[in-house]
Amino acid sequence: MAACGAQAPSSEQAWLEAAQTFIQESLCPTDKELNVQFTQSVIDCVKTVWLSQGKYQGFTLPLSYSFVSVQNLRTHQRLPCCSHLSWSSSAYQTWAQKARPNGVPLPRERLLLVGTLTDLSGDLEQGSRNGSLYVKDNTGMLGCELIDLDLSWLGHLFLFPSWSYLPPARWNSSGEGHLELWEAPVPVFPLTVSPGPLTPLPVLYPEIASRLLRHRSKFRVEQQNLAGKLIQLSALVKSKKKAYFILSLGELSPTISQAISHVSIIVQIPAQLVWHRALCPGKAYVLTQLRVSRIRGHHYCVWMTSPSSHLMLLEPECVQELELEGPFLEADSKSLPTSSNFQDKKEPKGLMRDSRLLHYTGTVTGVLNEPAGLYELDGQLGLCLAYQQFHDLRRVMRPGVCLELQDVHLLQSVGGGTTRPVLASCLRGAILLRGFSCQKPGTQSSLQTHGASLYEQLVWERQLSLPLYLWAVKALEELACKLCPHLLRHHQFLQHSSPRNPSLGLQLLAPTLDALAPPSRSIRNAHKEILEEPHHCPLQKYAQLQTPYSFPTLATLAEEGRHRAWASFDPKVLLPLPEAAYLPCCQLNHRLAWSWICLPPAAFHPPQALVGVLVASSHKGCLQLRDRSGSLSCLLLAKHSQPLTDPQLIGCLVRTEKFQLVVERDVRSNFPSWKELGMTGFIQKQQARVYVQFFLADALILPVPRSFHHSSAPPQTESTCLGQSRLFLLSHKEALMKRNFCTSLGTTSEVPKPTLSFHVSGCWLGGTQKKERIGWGPPEPLTDENKDQKVLLIFLGSSVRWFEFLHPGEIYRLVAPGPATPKLFEVEGSSCTSQRPLELAGCVSCLTVQDEWTLELESAQDLPDMLGIHKALSGSLLTDLLGANVFLLPCSVTDSLVSFSAEILSRTVCESLKPVCQMKPGNTEVRRCVKLTVAIGTADSEFLPRLDIYIEDPHLPPPLGLLPGARVHFNQLEKRISRSHNVYCCFRSSTYVQVLSFPPETTVREGVFVRVPLAPFRLL
């Protein structure tokens, strides 16, 4: 603003010139003769409002303000702002204080906005009307919100003295911002006031008008004028075919007999939809030229506006009640239209509750989930707008907005994780804007900007009750926080679901929603919901929902498991008297060294559902479920006694409600005797291993398209579409453990460190195949048909991720991407292994699987040239294992390796079987090993023979799932005989272990497994 009076004339002149240029370009009509007068009228209007504040510092023009066009706001104003021409600085500061301390006030810009207020979206010829309001100038138009609209304002040019502009939100696909008009606009030209009728207007009041509808068959009903007090206003309903709303007029001063008398009127003429913004419940109105019409699909008639209808405030001196004669004038007891569906629907007594219909005025204090239509009112109530079509209102909603809720439902104790009472509005009630917010909209996360169409689908297509809808929204939030954005994209996870493009979010909830609310073919009938009595809508009746499931993060689930494991750890329970009194110190501490608990989903409240993306770890060689919080190891079986074999499961989304959360506790202690078991000071170290185990048959497996992943896929080039592969039949698999691999001479002087790896042996099935458009081409001919096709495959580094999918008896395809390389799968020998393992495996060559190679499972049925393959697990007969003369025979390599399936009876920790001379020098720590006691036989046997299996380094820690009660197949254990002629087995590098079944939940008791009497394995 200018600092001195000498500069004022030049400053005002420059301001006037800029204003005239703007007005002529952006506001003036095409008639140029009116330009001078038009321009001066706009400037005079600005001067009048500017001088009205009383503190204009001697300037008659707002020199610090500049005109802004609609186009400039849309293209250049990137941040929310407000402008208050008639406010002083102190008035703005007082207003801005209302936003603090929880919010940031809208920043003030000194801008002048002038435009035409209209409900026409476009020009007069091509525009349409749907009840929305716009501010228009020569450069374009912007949607706006206005409180207390006067219908006479439409089509006129206004100066807007107080307004705020909000750029398009991230969820707004139209990319259009909107205006909030805080004060009544100031007309640039005086508004013409239409004179009242010369003669009183004949009207019908609600009681007579409703009787006229019921007796319409006795005479012809012509167009009538209706008058009364507005007692009910419905939501503005927009469908594909048309938009409409329904209002109800009641008597001005009803008597006791007229207390329930009202008449409903449907407004569906496009030019009249804007009435919805001007109507105010409690005021009296007159609607002219109404006609009687029958609603399609209904057995009754209603009043409906015609294209010539008008809306005006009721002035008693301007109307006269129309006198009609006929028997219908007598009061009758015929009830209003009722809903047969409501009365015929039977609900369980004692389970269903009725919501309360009420009026409420409050202030929004929080945005809980904007796409789902969930907000907080007055800091203590929930507000759900999802059962209405609230698209226009959604852009205004933020803390500080004042709302008047007409005929809103109050639901208490809805359950499903919601603790506060909830107000929810159906189509019968209206949500009226009573005050804007001075707060700047907060930064929206991706979770707050996506999913609106999916939430609408839950309400309008799945027709969920409010308690179930609130739980579904909370569950989707939990799932999105677990999986997005690092694993999946928000907008794809929460997208609208269709048969061709299903939503992952809805698919994860489908098992629960289908059980609690099966899909319904019926659709919501808006006319019935608004008109019929008694009122019936999805919010009328509800039952308190017991939370079906929650979806915790994997880190939270693992931490809860650890907490429960150590909270329940009690040495006195694990070693009860009198057993503990007779144990020496060493055995006492060994018995406490390992214990476990198994937590099913029902052990948590509410029950937990497991959700994560299945990945294969290249560091541990095990399968893991992964979400944003981290990874959780898991043990999967396809079903009972069937291992996981298909590598295509990697990257799939897994959801299961049936799982076992296993926590293995490892404790190092030095309790002197059983008397000190209650003293925690003797525990030196404790750690836990947490993992889950479940059957794939009990899980929901959802393949995730590559486009769903957050990291964008690399572009498809010619090299990525190429590849070569070779089939092989796997015959044996060795243990996953750290092994030493020699390097080529002269490459490095450092001693190589043990590397996590495993071997598999098998044979090639045919030659190399190259990638073609429709699949794999024919196998290339072998260079030497007589050459043995047995091969030893070495998996180390990143390729150990395939460990859980490789099983004997299966056919796999080894795929190498990229351009073809001759003899890629025919490498003779290897620099990283000696000939001894090859000889033991019966192979003549080995091949190291590269990190970028992949595996695919093949079926023998799809390979017609392949012979039938026996897939049963190998097993040693019990007589072979415990033959009477076995201790007399020399222990050759073949004779000492045994394979069998058994049930684990117990698992304990004991001292290492290795002699002290094999210990590393200087290592004073007592080495321990794990002893499994297993039973071979069937559960029907009266006495189950038992066998001890010892696991030592480098096989520690043992594989997942070796728990009491589990059934396991052991392949190529080393059989040994003790001095007392007892048979026992030990793990070795060729040992392969496969869990066949998990411990039954009925027999798990805090790490104790109860079984039938046992008989030891002894030599006869």
Side-chain angles (χ1 to χ4, degrees):
M1 185 174 291
C4 60
Q7 299 175 350
S10 60
S11 299
E12 290 185 357
Q13 185 64 30
W15 189 93
L16 287 172
E17 292 177 358
Q20 292 172 358
T21 302
F22 173 84
I23 295 171
Q24 292 177 4
E25 293 178 353
S26 302
L27 300 176
C28 280
T30 56
D31 188 357
K32 296 183 179 181
E33 295 180 358
L34 301 176
N35 279 353
V36 177
Q37 180 183 356
F38 185 94
T39 303
Q40 190 59 43
S41 298
V42 174
I43 294 176
D44 291 343
C45 182
V46 173
K47 289 173 62 176
T48 302
V49 176
W50 166 252
L51 295 175
S52 66
Q53 64 173 317
K55 296 181 180 180
Y56 45 86
Q57 301 178 359
F59 296 101
T60 58
L61 292 174
L63 301 183
S64 60
Y65 283 78
S66 60
F67 285 90
V68 63
S69 66
V70 168
Q71 183 181 11
N72 285 338
L73 275 180
R74 295 171 58 178
T75 57
H76 300 298
Q77 188 63 39
R78 304 287 180 169
L79 299 176
C81 67
C82 67
S83 180
H84 305 281
L85 177 62
S86 60
W87 289 15
S88 63
S89 297
S90 59
Y92 169 75
Q93 293 298 332
T94 303
W95 175 80
Q97 287 297 327
K98 299 178 181 179
R100 300 183 176 94
N102 297 325
V104 178
L106 287 166
R108 186 179 186 181
E109 299 287 345
R110 298 182 182 274
L111 300 173
L112 298 174
L113 180 64
V114 181
T116 301
L117 188 65
T118 178
D119 63 335
L120 194 64
S121 61
D123 54 36
L124 189 60
E125 296 180 356
Q126 299 180 357
S128 61
R129 290 182 168 95
N130 58 6
S132 299
L133 283 179
Y134 305 92
V135 172
K136 177 184 177 182
D137 64 10
N138 294 345
T139 65
M141 63 172 46
L142 265 177
C144 69
E145 294 293 335
L146 176 65
I147 301 173
D148 295 332
L149 171 68
D150 188 331
L151 294 179
S152 65
W153 294 347
L154 296 177
H156 295 279
L157 186 67
F158 288 94
L159 166 68
F160 302 99
S162 183
W163 53 273
S164 56
Y165 172 72
L166 281 80
R170 291 178 60 186
W171 55 265
N172 193 341
S173 59
S174 66
E176 297 287 341
H178 75 280
L179 292 165
E180 296 174 350
L181 307 180
W182 286 72
E183 296 180 359
V186 179
V188 174
F189 303 101
L191 299 178
T192 56
V193 180
S194 57
L198 298 178
T199 58
L201 192 68
V203 298
L204 294 177
Y205 286 100
E207 184 178 12
I208 301 300
S210 60
R211 292 183 189 175
L212 200 61
L213 286 180
R214 292 196 291 270
H215 297 276
R216 64 190 179 280
S217 59
K218 299 181 180 179
F219 56 90
R220 183 179 178 182
V221 180
E222 300 178 350
Q223 289 188 345
Q224 301 289 344
N225 306 320
L226 267 61
K229 182 190 296 184
L230 181 64
I231 62 173
Q232 183 179 315
L233 180 64
S234 78
L236 181 59
V237 182
K238 297 180 180 180
S239 63
K240 295 181 179 179
K241 297 182 178 179
K242 58 184 177 180
Y244 62 92
F245 68 91
I246 301 175
L247 60 94
S248 294
L249 298 180
E251 297 291 338
L252 299 179
S253 300
T255 62
I256 297 178
S257 62
Q258 296 175 331
I260 61 173
S261 252
H262 68 273
V263 60
S264 297
I265 304 169
I266 296 180
V267 181
Q268 63 181 17
I269 305 299
Q272 300 168 359
L273 296 178
V274 74
W275 294 1
H276 193 271
R277 296 175 175 270
L279 291 167
C280 181
K283 291 186 178 181
Y285 296 94
V286 176
L287 283 87
T288 66
Q289 300 295 309
L290 301 183
R291 57 187 176 87
V292 176
S293 178
R294 180 184 295 273
I295 300 177
R296 185 177 182 181
H298 297 262
H299 62 279
Y300 51 86
C301 294
V302 294
W303 291 100
M304 187 175 296
T305 60
S306 64
S308 58
S309 298
H310 290 86
L311 171 69
M312 60 186 71
L313 287 172
L314 174 61
E315 298 179 5
E317 63 274 9
C318 296
V319 298
Q320 180 180 3
E321 185 175 4
L322 182 64
E323 296 182 358
L324 298 177
E325 297 180 358
F328 62 87
L329 293 176
E330 300 177 2
D332 56 20
S333 59
K334 190 171 182 178
S335 61
L336 295 173
T338 59
S339 171
S340 58
N341 292 341
F342 175 77
Q343 295 182 345
D344 294 342
K345 189 174 181 179
K346 297 181 180 180
E347 303 289 356
K349 294 183 178 181
L351 297 178
M352 303 302 295
R353 305 181 182 185
D354 290 317
S355 62
R356 290 180 54 193
L357 270 179
L358 48 84
H359 301 326
Y360 186 87
T361 301
T363 302
V364 177
T365 53
V367 179
L368 305 180
N369 190 315
E370 186 176 23
L374 300 180
Y375 304 89
E376 180 188 71
L377 277 183
D378 298 329
Q380 58 185 356
L381 292 173
L383 173 64
C384 178
L385 304 182
Y387 290 82
Q388 273 200 9
Q389 298 166 323
F390 66 106
H391 302 88
D392 293 339
L393 191 62
R394 179 185 173 189
R395 61 186 182 182
V396 183
M397 295 290 287
R398 61 186 186 275
V401 170
C402 184
L403 299 176
E404 179 184 345
L405 308 175
Q406 294 285 326
D407 291 320
V408 65
H409 292 265
L410 173 64
L411 296 87
Q412 304 184 59
S413 302
V414 297
T418 302
T419 57
R420 69 179 78 192
V422 179
L423 293 174
S425 186
C426 66
L427 296 177
R428 184 173 186 171
I431 305 170
L432 306 178
L433 189 62
R434 291 293 175 250
F436 295 111
S437 172
C438 58
Q439 289 190 24
K440 180 181 178 181
T443 303
Q444 293 180 313
S445 64
S446 296
L447 183 61
Q448 291 288 342
T449 57
H450 300 294
S453 60
L454 176 61
Y455 295 125
E456 291 178 4
Q457 191 173 12
L458 294 177
V459 172
W460 297 91
E461 295 184 20
R462 293 299 300 256
Q463 300 191 33
L464 300 185
S465 63
L466 180 65
L468 191 56
Y469 175 72
L470 295 178
W471 172 82
V473 171
K474 183 179 179 181
L476 286 172
E477 288 178 347
E478 291 179 349
L479 291 169
C481 290
K482 279 170 57 68
L483 303 172
C484 304
H486 299 299
L487 302 177
L488 303 171
R489 292 190 179 101
H490 275 100
H491 71 278
Q492 292 172 319
F493 180 74
L494 296 174
Q495 70 181 5
H496 184 274
S497 187
S498 62
R500 293 185 177 181
N501 194 15
S503 165
L504 282 177
L506 189 56
Q507 284 180 293
L508 288 174
L509 295 186
T512 303
L513 296 182
D514 291 343
L516 297 178
S520 175
R521 294 184 178 180
S522 62
I523 58 175
R524 286 175 66 181
N525 190 310
H527 288 105
K528 285 186 176 181
E529 191 169 315
I530 299 172
L531 291 172
E532 289 189 346
E533 295 291 348
H535 174 59
H536 177 54
C537 72
L539 302 172
Q540 181 63 29
K541 286 185 174 291
Y542 69 100
Q544 186 175 10
L545 178 68
Q546 297 295 328
T547 305
Y549 292 97
S550 65
F551 301 90
T553 63
L554 298 178
T556 301
L557 185 64
E559 185 59 33
E560 178 65 18
R562 291 190 190 94
H563 173 73
R564 294 198 182 194
W566 295 119
S568 61
F569 178 71
D570 187 355
K572 292 184 178 180
V573 175
L574 294 176
L575 292 176
L577 291 174
E579 179 184 6
Y582 297 99
L583 293 176
C585 170
C586 180
Q587 293 187 18
L588 186 73
N589 290 290
H590 282 162
R591 292 283 295 273
L592 296 174
W594 183 88
S595 58
W596 66 294
I597 65 170
C598 181
L599 300 173
F604 302 90
H605 184 74
Q608 311 283 292
L610 193 64
V611 174
V613 177
L614 187 65
V615 297
S617 173
S618 59
H619 300 287
K620 298 182 179 180
C622 66
L623 295 177
Q624 293 178 333
L625 288 177
R626 182 172 297 171
D627 63 11
R628 282 186 60 188
S629 66
S631 302
L632 182 60
S633 299
C634 58
L635 177 61
L636 272 68
L637 294 179
K639 55 184 179 179
H640 188 78
S641 300
Q642 289 191 9
L644 209 61
T645 56
D646 191 357
Q648 291 186 354
L649 292 171
I650 294 179
C652 291
L653 199 56
V654 179
R655 177 198 192 270
T656 180
E657 302 164 3
K658 298 180 180 180
F659 64 92
Q660 294 178 347
L661 179 65
V662 178
V663 184
E664 297 183 10
R665 298 175 294 211
D666 290 303
V667 176
R668 291 188 180 271
S669 61
N670 59 351
F671 289 102
S673 67
W674 64 272
K675 298 178 181 180
E676 290 79 17
L677 289 179
M679 303 172 65
T680 58
F682 290 100
I683 297 178
Q684 299 172 325
K685 182 181 178 181
Q686 59 183 31
Q687 61 184 10
R689 181 168 69 162
V690 185
Y691 58 94
V692 291
Q693 51 188 23
F694 57 92
F695 292 106
L696 209 60
D698 296 332
L700 175 66
I701 308 298
L702 299 176
V704 180
R706 183 176 295 273
S707 60
F708 272 48
H709 292 285
H710 181 72
S711 57
S712 59
Q716 293 290 332
T717 60
E718 184 178 355
S719 61
T720 57
C721 297
L722 299 177
Q724 52 188 334
S725 67
R726 195 171 184 183
L727 295 171
F728 72 93
L729 169 64
L730 193 149
S731 58
H732 177 67
K733 171 182 171 182
E734 295 194 356
L736 178 66
M737 55 183 287
K738 289 187 176 182
R739 292 177 171 86
N740 289 318
F741 289 94
C742 62
T743 57
S744 301
L745 296 177
T747 57
T748 178
S749 59
E750 297 181 1
V751 178
K753 296 181 180 180
T755 304
L756 189 66
S757 64
F758 69 96
H759 302 163
V760 299
S761 58
C763 63
W764 296 117
L765 301 178
T768 302
Q769 297 174 264
K770 293 182 179 180
K771 187 72 173 180
E772 295 181 351
R773 292 184 178 180
I774 59 174
W776 295 104
E780 295 180 356
L782 300 177
T783 55
D784 187 358
E785 296 289 346
N786 299 324
K787 182 181 176 181
D788 193 351
Q789 296 301 313
K790 292 183 179 180
V791 65
L792 181 70
L793 298 180
I794 301 175
F795 293 80
L796 72 160
S798 180
S799 63
V800 300
R801 67 186 184 276
W802 306 113
F803 178 79
E804 291 293 337
F805 296 99
L806 292 168
H807 299 283
E810 299 290 349
I811 300 175
Y812 298 91
R813 183 183 296 276
L814 191 61
V815 180
T821 302
K823 299 184 178 180
L824 180 63
F825 302 114
E826 299 178 8
V827 180
E828 293 286 348
S830 177
S831 61
C832 61
T833 186
S834 64
Q835 289 297 319
R836 181 59 176 167
L838 296 177
E839 295 175 1
L840 295 177
C843 304
V844 296
S845 64
C846 74
L847 181 66
T848 301
V849 177
Q850 303 301 313
D851 293 345
E852 67 274 11
W853 292 2
T854 60
L855 281 178
E856 297 177 2
L857 179 68
E858 295 287 347
S859 173
Q861 298 177 355
D862 299 332
L863 304 172
D865 296 335
M866 304 301 166
L867 298 177
I869 301 172
H870 181 64
K871 299 182 181 180
L873 293 173
S874 61
S876 300
L877 295 177
L878 187 61
T879 54
D880 295 335
L881 179 64
L882 302 172
N885 299 324
V886 69
F887 68 99
L888 300 176
L889 298 177
C891 293
S892 65
V893 174
T894 305
D895 294 336
S896 64
L897 299 181
V898 293
S899 303
F900 55 87
S901 298
E903 184 178 328
I904 299 178
L905 303 175
S906 66
R907 172 173 166 177
T908 56
V909 176
C910 61
E911 294 184 4
S912 175
L913 300 181
K914 295 181 179 179
V916 180
C917 62
Q918 296 186 13
M919 300 290 185
K920 293 182 179 180
N923 187 2
T924 59
E925 183 180 358
V926 178
R927 298 186 62 175
R928 304 188 301 177
C929 72
V930 174
K931 183 179 76 171
L932 302 178
T933 300
V934 301
I936 303 178
T938 62
D940 299 333
S941 304
E942 183 177 358
F943 293 99
L944 296 178
R946 66 181 181 183
L947 177 70
D948 291 336
I949 302 174
Y950 293 88
I951 309 175
E952 297 187 273
D953 280 336
H955 301 282
L956 295 178
L960 303 180
L962 299 186
L963 303 171
R967 189 161 186 83
V968 183
H969 176 76
F970 299 93
N971 188 276
Q972 291 199 7
L973 289 172
E974 183 180 1
K975 179 181 61 177
R976 297 181 183 177
I977 302 173
S978 68
R979 295 179 182 179
S980 58
H981 295 179
N982 285 334
V983 176
Y984 66 95
C985 293
C986 295
F987 271 46
R988 53 174 292 161
S989 61
S990 62
T991 300
Y992 160 64
V993 176
Q994 173 59 49
V995 176
L996 300 178
S997 64
F998 305 131
E1001 294 184 7
T1002 56
T1003 56
V1004 175
R1005 296 290 188 275
E1006 187 63 28
V1008 178
F1009 186 75
V1010 182
R1011 210 61 169 109
V1012 296
L1014 307 175
F1017 277 178
R1018 291 184 61 87
L1019 295 178
L1020 303 178

